Amino acid sequence: MTKSVAVLGAGIMGIATALHLARRGAKVCLFDQQSTMINGASRWNEGKIHLGYLYSGDQTGNSARAMLAAGLAFRPLIEDLVATSVAGHVTQHSDTYIVHPDSVVPPAAVAAHFANVDEMISDQDTSRGLGAQHPTRRVSRSTLDQLSGGAGLDGFEVPEYSVDTQWLADRLIDAVAATPAIEPILGAKVDRATPTTSGLCGPWTVHTSDQNSHGPFDIVVNALWEGRPGLDHALGLPVAKEGLHRFRKSLFVTTKHPLDVPSRVFVVGPFGDLKNYDGTRYYVSWYPAGLVAQGEGIAPPCIGQDRSDQDIIDQTRTQIEHLAPDMSQVFNAASDIRVEGGWVYAQGRGRLDQASASIHRRDKYGITKTGDYISVDTGKYSVAPFMAQKIATMILS
């Protein structure tokens, strides 16, 4: 019998899940509150394919272990979903991590964490992954000074890359359009999902903000981002004791001509990074400048209206050029600067400038199944294809 599945949320997690399900014979309705698919954080972020290096704030190594398998599987899984190679659409340089003067993790601890991740990777098959082709390399003092304006405490070239999220978002939309078994239902926020039997078992009805009801569905997959905990809570399911919603904006810069400006990340705290995708397309972020809303709990806070795009551009440019003087080339050659962002949800609490904040961990994410209802905490962008495959197997095995 053909399974009928409602997938809530058309970001990378929801689309990857819908594609896996449909290709295995399920009939899928894909819901999203926006009028176009994959138009939030899944489109407007740097697309880092995490192998665990970023999480030196978690000295247990658990966050790195939780990221590694999914990061190595990202490329083959996503290329299968979009039926094309990501070659030419990833950053031109592997990331250089630079320890910021105000880092909440000392340089020696950062180096020890990187060595630990290198050891984890050495036991893995990296032949098809994106990155992980060499161990961490400490950069020379002269190179560090060039890349950090003399302010970096230490620097490491790590085998991580980022994918161009805008290009990939368009490919995923094309893949949905080419899959008749997926019906997108867009421009309608999911208000609630209701089962007709006890124990959260199907059939299910999905109710949307346009006063319509959809169904029946055998299974509901809650792959929402900022709305996921609230929907779980309304069904009486337990939600994370510590949850943090953030709405974060970054700059997407297009230059008039190609530039050879290396990608890099300033760590560990509320700092920033820059990505060079093809010499003319850049992602630039300074975390404090782009953070427009933050709040703990199951519901996202209101987004303030007192920050203009120009203010975010000016603050980001001032801070990032202070630590990366060569970024002035990018801004001076810019033909277009877009300020875009989306909600980010993570289990954790506190601020990134606090060494003890639990938000420095990323090992508490995953899939929860209750009856015929599945809730998935994606954790990070690069984890989505890996977990989508698991969800499809869980439903259709």
Side-chain angles (χ1 to χ4, degrees):
M1 183 180 70
T2 300
K3 289 276 190 181
S4 176
V5 184
V7 176
L8 315 182
I12 188 172
M13 185 74 245
I15 288 180
T17 301
L19 288 169
H20 274 297
L21 287 167
R23 292 177 183 182
R24 298 189 192 188
K27 182 180 178 182
V28 182
C29 282
L30 180 61
F31 293 83
D32 201 272
Q33 63 183 338
Q34 298 207 46
S35 58
T36 57
M37 291 180 283
I38 201 162
N39 197 34
S42 294
R43 179 181 288 271
W44 303 116
N45 75 84
E46 79 276 26
K48 177 184 280 295
I49 309 307
H50 285 276
L51 301 180
Y53 290 98
L54 186 65
Y55 297 103
S56 55
D58 177 8
Q59 288 289 302
T60 69
N62 289 335
S63 296
R65 291 186 190 91
M67 293 284 158
L68 184 54
L72 291 174
F74 181 88
R75 181 173 188 168
L77 288 175
I78 206 69
E79 288 182 340
D80 177 65
L81 290 176
V82 300
T84 190
S85 171
V86 300
H89 303 284
V90 298
T91 45
Q92 293 194 330
H93 308 270
S94 60
D95 270 333
T96 296
Y97 278 59
I98 298 172
V99 182
H100 187 277
D102 297 326
S103 174
V104 298
V105 180
V110 173
H113 171 74
F114 288 172
N116 189 23
V117 178
D118 284 345
E119 186 174 349
M120 294 180 200
I121 291 175
S122 68
D123 295 330
Q124 304 292 317
D125 178 7
T126 63
S127 59
R128 299 185 66 199
L130 184 61
Q133 303 304 317
H134 62 78
T136 301
R137 303 166 181 152
R138 184 178 253 112
V139 302
S140 67
R141 184 70 239 181
S142 60
T143 300
L144 177 61
D145 288 344
Q146 290 174 3
L147 295 177
S148 69
L153 300 182
D154 209 341
F156 307 83
E157 183 186 348
V158 304
E160 284 184 335
Y161 292 80
S162 296
V163 65
D164 183 342
T165 52
Q166 296 176 70
W167 173 85
L168 185 53
D170 291 338
R171 303 292 79 72
L172 287 166
I173 290 171
D174 292 344
V176 171
T179 308
I182 301 176
E183 178 189 358
I185 299 176
L186 305 176
K189 182 180 179 181
V190 174
D191 286 336
R192 66 190 190 281
T194 55
T196 55
T197 57
S198 61
L200 300 187
C201 293
W204 287 82
T205 301
V206 174
H207 308 271
T208 50
S209 57
D210 55 4
Q211 308 302 312
N212 285 322
S213 299
H214 307 266
F217 301 104
D218 299 309
I219 302 278
V220 170
V221 178
N222 182 0
L224 296 170
W225 207 204
E226 71 273 15
R228 185 188 59 82
L231 203 63
D232 290 354
H233 181 72
L235 287 167
L237 296 172
V239 296
K241 293 180 180 179
E242 296 184 344
L244 188 65
H245 286 90
R246 289 166 289 166
F247 196 96
R248 182 166 164 258
K249 292 186 174 183
S250 303
L251 311 186
F252 296 82
V253 184
T254 303
T255 60
K256 301 169 189 174
H257 51 80
L259 297 167
D260 187 21
V261 177
S263 299
R264 73 207 76 163
V265 186
F266 294 95
V267 295
V268 176
F271 309 129
D273 55 348
L274 57 100
K275 300 289 182 288
N276 175 351
Y277 297 111
D278 64 3
T280 63
R281 290 165 57 81
Y282 289 82
Y283 168 92
V284 187
S285 168
W286 188 256
Y287 193 96
L291 185 63
V292 297
Q294 177 171 296
E296 297 178 0
I298 63 172
C302 295
I303 300 175
Q305 302 298 320
D306 58 342
R307 298 285 309 285
S308 69
D309 286 353
Q310 190 60 51
D311 179 47
I312 294 173
I313 291 171
D314 292 342
Q315 287 193 36
T316 300
R317 179 172 184 176
T318 297
Q319 294 298 328
I320 207 74
E321 285 187 359
H322 175 69
L323 285 174
D326 56 339
M327 271 301 294
S328 62
Q329 301 175 57
V330 174
F331 286 104
N332 291 337
S335 60
D336 182 59
I337 302 177
R338 295 189 64 171
V339 180
E340 300 285 358
W343 284 106
V344 178
Y345 172 82
Q347 293 190 44
R349 186 171 291 167
R351 302 193 315 269
L352 289 174
D353 59 358
Q354 298 171 315
S356 61
S358 57
I359 197 64
H360 287 291
R361 300 180 67 108
R362 278 298 187 281
D363 56 335
K364 296 179 180 179
Y365 68 88
I367 303 163
T368 303
K369 185 177 187 297
T370 308
D372 294 321
Y373 180 86
I374 294 173
S375 180
V376 52
D377 181 350
T378 311
K380 298 298 290 185
Y381 175 91
S382 56
V383 172
F386 186 75
M387 291 209 295
Q389 186 181 55
K390 284 191 171 185
I391 291 170
T393 300
M394 183 183 297
I395 292 173
L396 301 176
S397 61

